[in-house]
Every structure is written in structure tokens, then in C-alpha cells.
Amino acid sequence: MNNKFRISLLVAAFGCSTPVFSDDIQVAVAANFIDVMKQLGESFGEISGHKVLVSSGATGKLYAQIKNGAPYDIFLAADDARPILLDEEGIAIADTRFTYALGTLVLWSPQHELIDKNLTVLKEQKFSYISIANPKTAPYGRAAQQTLTELGYWDAVQPKMVRGENIGQAYQYVYSENAQLGFVAKSQIFKNGEFKGGSHWEVPADMYDPIVQQAVLLKDHQAARDLLDYIRSPEAVKVIESYGYSVSP
């Protein structure tokens, strides 16, 4: 399929005005979704001619940046609380908020057999450090705190806990083995039906509040609207699900 034909399909499918003049689209994205958004941005760029520029971080910090006037066109949060606030505060464009993914929390270690189904490593404190994202700014960090509290280990692991500013940093602590294990987003260690090497425990969904990840439009221009439409397209949903997310019907 040549590029002109693909652009024609985008025009027909998403109602693009015209792709002749390309626009840069500034996207603020929660750290757990960065790899997915880069892939989607590249695909959208090939189809539309627009360049997608991605900045990632903790949802709470991105929200603060947006409140302080950061020039983002779209916000892809790791929760629904901040997009709702932006709606209520009149910062987001009305009637553009939607759920683009439902996240899953996983306890992961690059060491094989460190994590078993009985969570012996937590029960017996057989590790030097455990990593989580900051619960105050990162929804996955809050989910990790809720999980450890539910398990009864929150107080016990405090002396061995390292906190990343966001879930990307929390993952890096474990990936680099500065922490032996940590709570990460499933999307960071899962692709196309397979988990990354090591050992893991997928946290039961009833141990933490649902991680409802919502998107919202911040500046009303057609290219950004088209990108949000693309994120909801069947093609994009397949990519999102391939990273272990579920997507609301």
C-alpha cells in the first residue's frame, strides 16, 4: 500500500481536513505507555505526515506541568483522576476524554525462580532492595502500595524499598539489578503474548484500584484530534493489547 493511498484512507476514516501541511503533535504520556505510544506515533506519522513528539513521566508530574502551561496537545495519563480534573478545571477540551487502556501490575525480577507463586521472596525478605514507583505521583506506585498493604508487607519492606520517580524509573532499578525485584507495569515486560525473561507474579486485580488510563485533548487542532481517533482505531487497539493492556469496548 503506497503512502498516498494510506493517507487517503486516514482522511476517509478519521475525517482529516488535509495531510498536505504536516503538524507536530506534542504528547504527554505516562511512563508505562511510552513504548506503545512511540510505536503508535510512528505508524500515525507514516499515515498522516504529522510528527508525534512524545514526553513521558509520572502522571502526577505531567499533570502539574500541564497546569503550569506546558505546551502539550494531548495527555495520556496512567489514571482517570487527572484527566477528570483537567476537564473540571476547564483546561482540557470538553467531551474529548476517554479510556484508552486498562493497566496491570506485575511483580518482576530478572532473576529466574526468585519469585514463586507463594511469594516466598516477600515472606522471607530474601532480597536487598525492592523497587516501586512513587505512590504520590504514579498510579502504578499507588497500586504497588495497595498490593503490599493487602499482603501485609508494606511496613516490613520499607528499609529495603527504592522509589522511582515514575514507573519507568522503577523498572530501570530492577532491569539494572540495583533492585532484585520490583512492581512494574505489565507492558514493560510483556510483548506479543510472552513475558520477558526472569520470574514474575501478575498481581490479582482485586488487590489494587483499577488502573484506568485515560486520554484527553488539551489543544483543539485537527492533527491532535486525528491522533486520538487513531489511538481508538482497531489497528491501534491491537498494538495496545499486544503489550498486555486490556481495552474497554
Side-chain angles (χ1 to χ4, degrees):
M1 183 184 296
N2 63 46
N3 193 50
K4 288 183 179 179
F5 184 58
R6 295 178 72 186
I7 289 173
S8 297
L9 287 180
L10 183 74
V11 172
F14 302 139
C16 296
S17 52
T18 173
V20 174
F21 301 102
S22 64
D23 291 314
D24 290 348
I25 307 169
Q26 301 279 353
V27 181
V29 58
N32 72 91
F33 203 72
I34 181 64
D35 290 339
V36 191
M37 192 60 236
K38 284 181 177 178
Q39 184 173 338
L40 295 178
E42 288 175 4
S43 298
F44 179 76
E46 291 174 4
I47 295 169
S48 68
H50 301 306
K51 187 173 183 181
V52 179
L53 305 176
V54 180
S55 299
S56 69
T59 288
K61 292 209 167 184
L62 292 173
Y63 166 76
Q65 291 174 12
I66 292 165
K67 287 270 291 179
N68 288 321
Y72 298 124
D73 301 304
I74 290 171
F75 182 31
L76 298 177
D79 65 9
D80 56 355
R82 273 75 168 207
I84 288 172
L85 282 173
L86 292 172
D87 249 352
E88 294 173 345
E89 293 159 349
I91 296 172
I93 304 300
D95 302 320
T96 62
R97 181 169 52 85
F98 68 96
T99 299
Y100 66 90
L102 302 173
T104 299
L105 185 70
V106 177
L107 181 65
W108 175 68
S109 172
Q111 299 177 30
H112 294 281
E113 300 181 0
L114 181 64
I115 301 171
D116 59 27
K117 64 181 181 180
N118 296 317
L119 299 181
T120 306
V121 65
L122 291 180
K123 292 177 183 177
E124 300 181 2
Q125 299 286 294
K126 291 185 173 181
F127 58 89
S128 299
Y129 294 104
I130 184 170
S131 173
I132 72 167
N134 186 343
K136 293 182 179 179
T137 57
Y140 282 85
R142 183 179 67 247
Q145 180 177 8
Q146 290 171 341
T147 298
L148 286 166
T149 300
E150 178 73 16
L151 290 170
Y153 301 136
W154 176 250
D155 292 333
V157 301
Q158 291 303 306
K160 299 182 175 183
M161 183 178 291
V162 291
R163 303 188 188 200
E165 181 177 307
N166 54 59
I167 196 65
Q169 202 172 80
Y171 167 80
Q172 284 298 325
Y173 284 141
V174 187
Y175 180 76
S176 63
E177 298 192 45
N178 286 305
Q180 287 68 50
L181 72 167
F183 285 93
V184 302
K186 183 177 180 179
S187 59
Q188 294 171 305
I189 59 169
F190 183 90
K191 186 71 167 65
N192 295 327
E194 294 185 0
F195 280 94
K196 187 174 289 189
S199 53
H200 72 274
W201 174 62
E202 190 166 324
V203 182
D206 60 0
M207 285 194 169
Y208 56 92
D209 292 339
I211 303 174
V212 180
Q213 304 196 194
Q214 290 198 337
V216 70
L217 184 66
L218 301 172
K219 292 184 180 177
D220 197 359
H221 64 79
Q222 192 60 50
R225 282 188 177 272
D226 291 341
L227 176 55
L228 285 181
D229 284 340
Y230 178 72
I231 290 171
R232 284 179 282 194
S233 71
E235 177 185 350
V237 167
K238 286 182 181 178
V239 174
I240 294 169
E241 290 178 336
S242 75
Y243 281 83
Y245 294 99
S246 55
V247 179
S248 296

